[in-house]
Amino acid sequence: MIDRHSSYRPDNTMRELIRDNNLLLMTISRFDIAFGFGDSTVAEACAANGCDTATFLAVCNFLSGREHESYRISLPSLMAYLKRAHSSFVEMSLPKIRHKIIEAINYSETNEVSFLLIKFFDDYVAEVHEHLDNENDMVFRYVERLLEGEADDGFEISRFSVDHDHMGSQLNELKDIFIYHYSQRGNFLLSSVLFDIINLEKDLMSHFEVENHLFVPEVEKLEAEVKRTSGETAQPQKERDERIDTLGEREKEIISCVAKGMSNKEIADALCLSVHTVATHRKNISAKLEIHSTAGLTIFAILHRLVDLNDLKV
């Protein structure tokens, strides 16, 4: 039993999370975690499915109204989750609702209104496709370039957050038309459609809240780090080499581990060091490089080939 005042933790079982909030089943799927995990803990299930545990817990805690800020977010992992959510909306939820609307409407009684309702829904679907395609093609690719250390003067995530809309208002309007203005007996199928519309509206709102409150702030941090690091690495080659030369081999190994999303304890276990020694190394590294965040060290590691982008956790 999870205390309602505490956060979900890595040592909680997946079963406990689902019992506490069964809506997290969708979240589990969108992190590409296979069901059948039995009594595995969150950490065990995430490790078995190549999922970043901290990012998974940050999202689950946020969606459940629990404290989430203590969990470090991996942007590649969060983007993979958001992309799968996009696919779920356009490939499953929206087509399913359209099919059920067509089945539920009685065309013989109100032909003109029926076709207008279908057109209303199809226009909405087209808007959703355009919105999500823009995120996939512009926003996510922009962040992928940032993760590679490439600054972009033509776009900032603040532009995305200002124009960001959860697109639930049109669904709410369609729902109201059915409830208050569309008269038809035998409403069992129609009630099922309305239930799906209500659930999709909630799902979309939750999705956009994750983007606004978890994704955008992390991208803003990354933007600042990339711009600062890009400015520093634009200096002559001699100075860039000197920065690397100030680091010992052990310090380079630790930077590489940090970039891969490993905790101090995981680094200590991998390098056969004590956690205290790892913490001391990280303090010395931050002092030498004047970089004090995980995102900054990740960018530094990529730019100086201490880690490959493919090794980052997703």
Side-chain angles (χ1 to χ4, degrees), residues 7-267:
S7 299
Y8 302 138
R9 304 184 311 274
D11 59 347
N12 286 129
T13 65
M14 296 291 281
R15 190 190 298 268
E16 286 175 323
L17 265 65
I18 294 168
R19 283 176 177 168
D20 185 73
N21 181 2
N22 55 30
L23 295 178
L24 293 178
L25 283 168
M26 187 65 74
T27 306
I28 292 169
S29 294
R30 290 173 182 172
F31 270 102
D32 204 24
I33 296 175
F35 294 146
F37 35 68
D39 290 319
S40 297
T41 65
V42 170
E44 290 169 343
C46 286
N49 290 274
C51 171
D52 183 69
T53 304
T55 306
F56 174 75
L57 284 169
V59 173
C60 288
N61 279 302
F62 176 79
L63 292 175
S64 302
R66 296 170 180 267
E67 191 279 321
H68 63 277
E69 295 177 352
S70 59
Y71 291 101
R72 173 200 53 77
I73 289 174
S74 160
L75 271 174
S77 181
L78 185 58
M79 279 199 301
Y81 162 83
L82 295 174
K83 287 177 182 178
R84 291 189 194 100
H86 290 183
S87 297
S88 173
F89 295 139
V90 301
E91 295 174 12
M92 295 179 58
S93 300
L94 291 169
K96 174 186 174 185
I97 289 174
R98 187 182 194 278
H99 179 74
K100 291 179 77 169
I101 289 175
I102 292 172
E103 284 189 332
I105 287 177
N106 186 336
Y107 292 93
S108 61
E109 294 183 5
T110 52
N111 242 351
E112 186 175 347
V113 174
S114 299
F115 285 112
L116 284 174
L117 285 170
I118 294 293
K119 184 179 185 305
F120 182 101
F121 184 76
D122 285 346
D123 289 344
Y124 170 73
V125 171
E127 287 185 35
V128 172
H129 273 269
E130 182 180 358
H131 183 98
L132 298 183
D133 285 346
N134 177 67
E135 287 188 24
N136 291 337
D137 296 338
M138 178 179 290
V139 179
F140 292 157
R141 289 184 182 177
Y142 165 69
V143 176
E144 287 166 357
R145 291 195 300 271
L146 285 178
L147 286 167
E148 293 174 352
E150 181 183 337
D152 187 342
D153 295 331
F155 182 82
E156 287 187 348
I157 198 64
S158 58
R159 284 174 50 191
F160 166 72
S161 59
V162 167
D163 298 330
H164 206 210
D165 175 22
H166 61 68
M167 305 194 72
S169 58
Q170 295 98 317
L171 278 179
N172 190 56
E173 185 177 345
L174 179 63
K175 177 187 65 180
D176 286 348
I177 290 172
F178 275 123
I179 294 174
Y180 301 114
H181 304 291
Y182 185 79
S183 178
Q184 175 179 305
R185 291 186 178 278
N187 288 327
F188 295 112
L189 279 174
L190 200 54
S191 297
S192 178
V193 172
L194 292 172
F195 182 77
D196 288 344
I197 290 174
I198 291 168
N199 281 337
L200 177 58
E201 182 184 5
K202 291 179 180 177
D203 195 6
L204 280 168
M205 292 180 70
S206 296
H207 173 78
F208 284 86
E209 287 296 300
V210 169
E211 290 186 322
N212 286 334
H213 295 281
L214 299 184
F215 177 66
V216 170
E218 288 299 318
V219 177
E220 288 175 338
K221 294 177 189 175
L222 181 59
E223 279 179 337
E225 291 291 349
V226 169
K227 288 177 181 178
R228 188 179 70 80
T229 307
S230 296
E232 291 174 357
T233 56
Q235 299 171 31
Q237 183 68 37
K238 182 174 181 294
E239 185 169 339
R240 290 204 301 273
D241 290 343
E242 287 176 354
R243 294 186 73 195
I244 287 291
D245 290 340
T246 63
L247 299 172
E249 290 304 313
R250 181 65 81 187
E251 290 173 326
K252 292 177 184 177
E253 289 178 329
I254 289 175
I255 292 176
S256 174
C257 291
V258 171
K260 293 174 183 176
M262 297 170 66
S263 67
N264 281 2
K265 185 178 185 307
E266 290 171 331
I267 296 172

Side-chain angles (χ1 to χ4, degrees), residues 278-301:
V278 172
T280 300
H281 276 305
R282 290 191 64 169
K283 182 178 179 181
N284 292 338
I285 291 167
S286 294
K288 289 179 180 181
L289 301 181
E290 295 184 355
I291 298 175
H292 301 281
S293 69
T294 298
L297 289 174
T298 301
I299 295 299
F300 182 89

